[in-house]
Amino acid sequence: LRALILAATGDSVGAEASFQRAMQLLPGDAGIMHNHGWFLCNERRFAEADATFDRAIAVPRYDGLARSWMAKGVCLARAGRWADAERALSRSYEIDPTSPVTAYNLSEVLLRRGELERARFYVGRINAVPEQVNAQSLWLAARIERRLGDTSAVMDYGRRLRDRFPQSTEALQFDRGRFDD
């Protein structure tokens, strides 16, 4: 907890020291490894983060597998390793297909890889559940539909975005036609 607080306040050196101490005290704790991996990812220490997530995932009976696979995938995407990110996010989705966070990130990676129909499927799962719909998921769907050339669907997502989230950054991006930013 101390490491997370220090990381949140910008004390990277203190956070790293706290993570090291926590891992000395509980060397097999996958939760600590997961949090350390996320810290390393946010520090742009991608190779170290990847290895740390792998260690967490390898812990027997770890109940946070889906969460660690998802974080690993997001981190790999940040590193520009799109194929690896897709594999990690797909694994997370296999474990927990109900996670809108995983579906969103997988859809975003698939969009970047040009896998448009698959990207449409995953974001469509989010947007089909009213409680899960948000500005980001509608904007992602609009961007995918634009790449697919479905102008009608783009306009429908844009309308929904403006109606439900008129003050959002995504609605502004839509209104300005900034689909490729």
Side-chain angles (χ1 to χ4, degrees), residues 10 36 44 46 70 72-73 79 95-96 116-117 126-127 145 150-151 160 162 166 181:
H36 188 228
R44 306 188 61 76
F46 298 123
M70 189 271 299
K72 176 183 171 77
I95 296 166
D96 181 9
L116 303 178
E117 289 295 338
I126 299 166
N127 289 328
E145 295 300 339
D150 189 338
T151 306
R160 290 173 61 190
R162 280 192 220 105
D181 287 356

Side-chain angles (χ1 to χ4, degrees), residues 40-52:
L40 293 168
C41 183
N42 287 326
E43 292 290 306
R44 306 188 61 76
R45 294 163 56 186
F46 298 123
E48 292 172 82
D50 193 39
T52 303

